[in-house]
Amino acid sequence: MGAVELDLSTIVLAGTPLAPAPLGASDRLVLMGQSEEVGGALRAVRALPGAAGVPRPPRDGRRVRAWARAALAEALAGTRIRRSAVRAALVRAGADWGLPRAVLTRARLRDLTPLQRSRLQSALASAAAELGGAGWLVLEAPFGGLAGRERAGARDHLVRTLARRGLGLVMSTADPVDAGVVGGRVTVLEKGQVADSGPFGAQLAAPRSNLAAGLAGVNVFSALARGGWISIGHSQVRARTELDGKLFVTIPTSAVRLAVDEFSAHLTSDAVFEAVVVGIHDRGEGVQLTLSPTDTEAGLTLAADLFDFSAAAAHAAAARAAGAQDAGAGSAEAQAAEPEGSGAPAWGILHPGLGADVAAQLAVTGVGAHLFVEVDTAALRAYPVDRAPTALQ
């Protein structure tokens, strides 16, 4: 009879166990974070009594059959099992996971499609669980290389098969959709430690890890509340609060305003600081900058939205254009009162203070460029380590 719990207390990172309590029958744990750390944790889990798993299939010229036997022998080390039982378990697992028998017997590893590679890993882990009496499959990035319908289908098949067979799961992924669909507890590993652990929705609502913060579209910082003010390090970015003590603070990437001129009319607070662009990358349907302050006593290192090319932004731009057309040019007095360049920005443009169009903004936002930054402190959210976020009062 297999183990009734999978005890993860012996797998410790910087003093914190991988999970705060043992996994029960059919429980699921999803590991996310830096690949080297996640891979090491999965190898440690595979070695525990009650767990069954094999490495991701390599891409070499060996036949699948030869590699599968070797991988199973390693997974079942110390367990004496007849070769006929191994063959039968492989056939059953292959059928269970939609892997044709011909793939198991004649194919070579290098010729497998991403979907076959995914199914092979699951089938071998399943066979190892059957032969060794294990109750939890351990899968490293089981949907790697899959996209669209194939990924969704493989994920759905995994969830349904686990439920049908009453198996638990420990798996890794870099995809938040995987984590949401598979469910269970999510543990995020960052910089050699457990950065956060718990339901993934709660992590996105109150980020404590850089991964959750990035997916939630915010920057996250450790901060201190004292005397009615929140201080984030030594920066001049401060906000009023009724909280007290050590906090986490989030700043949405959309709450960072940018301009090329320190005295731009588009920057309205007194807490403007200078920063250098140290990175530029795509993010979903937009583009983001990574900014490093020239003076850490004044600013913060931030991710900031640069462009937004989403459908919602396109509709908003069209609505602004229609509204402007309906309103007409307006009076001469109203036009004179408007800051230069304050007309409705075009689709994609978030920071009129950087230029009139995408081309102009790209010219001034390359890596190494100096920009002026302010944070909309009304958008800050703060929360103690054991509580959900609240709006600042």
Side-chain angles (χ1 to χ4, degrees):
M1 184 175 178
V4 295
E5 289 185 337
L6 185 63
D7 184 5
L8 304 173
S9 63
T10 58
I11 305 174
V12 179
L13 291 88
T16 304
L18 196 60
L23 300 185
S26 302
D27 281 353
R28 299 169 189 172
L29 173 65
V30 178
L31 302 183
M32 302 183 74
Q34 298 171 340
S35 58
E36 298 83 0
E37 295 173 346
V38 169
L42 282 174
R43 288 190 292 274
V45 174
R46 282 205 307 261
L48 295 175
V54 299
R56 282 177 57 82
R59 300 175 184 272
D60 57 36
R62 283 177 292 174
R63 290 195 180 278
V64 169
R65 178 172 53 191
W67 178 79
R69 286 175 177 171
L72 274 179
E74 182 179 350
L76 298 168
T79 304
R80 300 186 63 180
I81 300 173
R82 296 191 308 274
R83 288 177 65 90
S84 60
V86 172
R87 286 196 297 270
L90 274 173
V91 171
R92 284 192 294 271
D96 212 16
W97 293 92
L99 192 67
R101 189 167 182 173
V103 172
L104 285 170
T105 57
R106 295 195 296 273
R108 294 188 182 276
L109 290 166
R110 66 188 174 204
D111 297 326
L112 297 181
T113 67
L115 182 57
Q116 290 172 335
R117 200 172 298 278
S118 171
R119 289 174 173 176
L120 176 60
Q121 186 187 15
S122 298
L124 289 184
S126 183
E130 177 187 334
L131 294 166
W136 292 265
L137 303 189
V138 183
L139 303 176
E140 180 180 357
F143 313 121
L146 299 177
R149 293 183 179 180
E150 272 196 340
R151 190 182 192 96
R155 197 170 50 220
D156 181 72
H157 189 85
L158 173 68
V159 170
R160 292 178 184 277
T161 303
L162 291 172
R164 186 175 69 251
R165 298 191 56 188
L167 290 168
L169 174 71
V170 180
M171 63 165 274
S172 66
T173 184
D175 191 320
V177 178
D178 294 344
V181 173
V182 169
R185 174 175 291 272
V186 174
T187 293
V188 178
L189 308 181
E190 288 178 354
K191 299 180 180 179
Q193 61 185 349
V194 175
D196 206 350
S197 187
F200 202 42
Q203 293 187 39
L204 295 177
R208 289 159 172 78
S209 68
N210 289 323
L211 185 146
L215 294 172
V218 300
N219 300 273
V220 64
F221 302 94
S222 296
L224 183 65
R226 184 173 293 165
W229 285 93
I230 290 175
S231 299
I232 309 173
H234 299 289
S235 79
Q236 65 186 18
V237 179
R238 305 175 72 220
R240 284 285 188 183
T241 185
E242 296 180 355
L243 302 174
D244 189 64
K246 294 181 179 179
L247 309 171
F248 285 107
V249 166
T250 61
I251 299 174
T253 56
S254 59
V256 182
R257 300 191 187 105
L258 307 174
V260 293
D261 180 0
E262 181 178 6
F263 303 104
S264 168
H266 300 285
L267 304 181
T268 57
S269 77
D270 295 329
V272 174
F273 61 90
E274 187 178 10
V276 179
V277 177
V278 295
I280 181 169
H281 61 276
D282 289 354
R283 182 68 182 170
E285 296 172 300
V287 179
Q288 282 188 344
L289 297 178
T290 303
L291 303 164
S292 179
T294 57
D295 180 1
T296 56
E297 299 289 320
L300 297 167
T301 297
L302 293 164
D305 295 339
L306 175 61
F307 301 126
D308 181 0
F309 297 117
S310 66
H315 288 304
R320 288 194 300 269
Q325 185 176 10
D326 291 343
S331 67
E333 293 80 5
Q335 293 180 46
E338 291 181 346
E340 184 179 353
S342 63
W347 174 49
I349 297 295
L350 298 174
H351 305 283
L354 293 177
D357 53 35
V358 171
Q361 296 199 2
L362 284 175
V364 298
T365 56
V367 172
H370 285 242
L371 302 176
F372 290 92
V373 184
E374 74 173 3
V375 173
D376 179 6
T377 55
L380 266 67
R381 296 293 180 268
Y383 44 100
V385 294
D386 57 348
R387 284 171 52 190
T390 57
L392 298 176
Q393 301 296 322

